[in-house]
Amino acid sequence: MRIAVGGDHAGFELKALLIPWLRSTGHQVEDLGAHQLDPEDDYPDFAFVVADSVRSGKVDRGIVICGSGVGASITAIKVPGVRACLCHDTYTAHQGVEHDEMNVLCLGGRVIGVELAKEILTAFLAARFIPEARFKRRLEKLLQIEKRGLEGRS
């Protein structure tokens, strides 16, 4: 799978540990930064480039790591076509894909350790959207809400 990964200074260390592991499991990983530790960098910059890579189809899924994962999630979800969620457990990571077609996973580098992050990523990357009628119906409603938001309608 093609995966874009990004993280700010608070996610830098966890990102640096996860990228080689992801590659060793056979994934094609695009490291979108940060490429050096800069305490003054900002999570929106990295969350946007990861989300935009998913939106454009350059990658299949994205991973963004900031301090808590909250800011990355809020930023990434603003990109049309991106369904980003903060997940710190395996159930949410696979269920978000299976039921909601989540395509960007956000993690808190100050919240979880590398071993739990690996378990969460394994669940996220192995999951596939379940094309049952109820999930398709809910996804269509979500997409219509996104469309209305982009058109400035409520």
Side-chain angles (χ1 to χ4, degrees), residues 7-14 37-39 41 65-68 108-110:
D8 68 357
H9 61 279
F12 186 80
E13 183 179 342
L14 184 57
L37 183 59
D38 177 0
D41 65 16
I65 310 166
C66 68
S68 68
R110 293 179 175 155

Side-chain angles (χ1 to χ4, degrees), residues 83-102:
R83 289 169 298 283
C85 297
L86 169 62
C87 300
H88 286 156
D89 63 85
T90 58
Y91 176 78
T92 308
H94 73 77
Q95 188 269 342
V97 175
E98 293 166 352
H99 294 197
D100 307 305
E101 206 173 34
M102 174 176 64

